[in-house]
């Protein structure tokens, strides 16, 4: 992890691995990684189909400036699967994590689906959120460009060797860095007792109409606090004009474009994202 982060330009403040946290809400066991650190409390929420480990590189570089906790949303990573994947339910999980850790007020970073959840937290619990960073999500997003990768992720099945999945992922995204893809896949699978690699995430498809409807409400949910919108410079999901429209609607909004990054900004160019988040979150 640290070698890969260093190869991506991340200046590592503390190479120690995070500690794991578990807590429960509404009979759902939830999981996250506590990176420690000093400074303002920041909770990081991943995108759909990813896990809290997508923030590993960012947390390694941001640890010296903030108190960092990355959460697995329900149905993802090492959190339980559920029959309730409403945005409101996941937002309540985030607040439960803050309560579990004794955090009264937090700063939120949410990528894609995680950004939608973060915005709902800010709207439903206005006294709990100080500021919020959205990563590559805004009203008017176009997920058509990620159709092949989403289909690939939805089709993940147990395999005998993890390299089988890495090879398939490279075929879908030929320009991707193999080491980065291998690391991501290692976080999306767990080793089963029989030795096979088994996907962690719930294979049931998400409710895309509900998620898209929630994305369209973002502007109204974010008018009361400072907001940073980060767009990947090569993102096919969030266009420059779409990003600018959201920021223009927000009384205290700003836009940062991270070069050499697609939708998964935190994995594609973590060093540049760390710089943007450090400036915003520690303000």
């Amino acid at each position: 992890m640290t070698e890969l982060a260093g190869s991506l330009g991340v200046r590592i403040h503390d190479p120690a691995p995070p500690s794991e946290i578990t807590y429960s809400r509404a009979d759902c066991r939830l999981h996250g990684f506590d990176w420690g650190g000093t400074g303002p409390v920041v909770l990081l929420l991943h995108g759909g189909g990813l896990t809290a480990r997508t923030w590993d590189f960012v947390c390694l570089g941001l640890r010296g400036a903030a108190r960092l906790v990355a959460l697995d949303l329900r149905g993802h990573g090492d959190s339980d699967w559920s029959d309730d994947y409403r945005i409101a339910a996941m937002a309540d999980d985030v607040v439960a994590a803050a309560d579990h850790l004794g955090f009264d007020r937090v700063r939120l970073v949410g990528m894609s689906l995680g950004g939608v959840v973060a915005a709902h937290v800010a709207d439903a619990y206005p006294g709990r959120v100080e500021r919020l960073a959205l990563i590559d999500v805004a009203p008017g997003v176009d997920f058509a460009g990620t159709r092949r990768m989403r289909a690939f992720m939805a089709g993940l099945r147990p395999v005998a060797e993890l390299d089988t999945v890495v090879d398939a992922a490279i075929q879908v995204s030929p320009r991707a860095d193999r080491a980065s893809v291998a690391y991501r896949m290692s976080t999306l699978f767990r080793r089963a007792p029989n030795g096979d690699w088994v996907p962690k995430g719930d294979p049931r498809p998400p409710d895309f109409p509900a998620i898209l409807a929630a994305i369209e409400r973002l502007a109204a949910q974010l008018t009361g606090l400072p907001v940073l919108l980060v767009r990947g410079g090569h993102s096919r999901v969030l266009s420059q004009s779409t990003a600018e429209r959201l920021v223009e609607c927000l009384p205290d909004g700003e836009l940062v474009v991270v070069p050499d990054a697609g939708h998964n900004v935190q994995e594609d160019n973590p060093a540049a994202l760390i710089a943007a988040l450090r400036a915003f979150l520690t303000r």
Side-chain angles (χ1 to χ4, degrees), residues 125-148:
Y125 300 90
R128 304 294 299 269
V129 180
E130 294 179 319
R131 52 183 51 224
L132 189 154
L134 294 174
I135 313 298
D136 221 61
V137 63
V141 291
D142 180 7
F143 284 109
T146 64
R147 184 178 294 113
R148 288 185 67 200

Side-chain angles (χ1 to χ4, degrees), residues 18-25 28-34 69-72 76-80 93 96-102 190:
S19 60
E20 296 188 61
I21 61 169
T22 57
Y23 62 103
S24 296
R25 193 191 72 79
C28 186
R29 178 185 173 277
L30 299 158
H31 176 269
F33 293 99
D34 187 346
V69 178
L71 301 177
D72 282 327
H76 298 74
D78 292 312
S79 287
D80 283 349
D93 293 343
D99 290 341
H100 173 74
L101 294 166
R190 64 167 57 91

Side-chain angles (χ1 to χ4, degrees), residues 5-6 13 98 101 131 134 140 158 161 175 178 186 223 254:
H13 175 76
L101 294 166
R131 52 183 51 224
L134 294 174
E161 299 292 339
R175 296 181 182 178
R178 184 177 182 86
S186 74
T223 56
E254 59 184 290

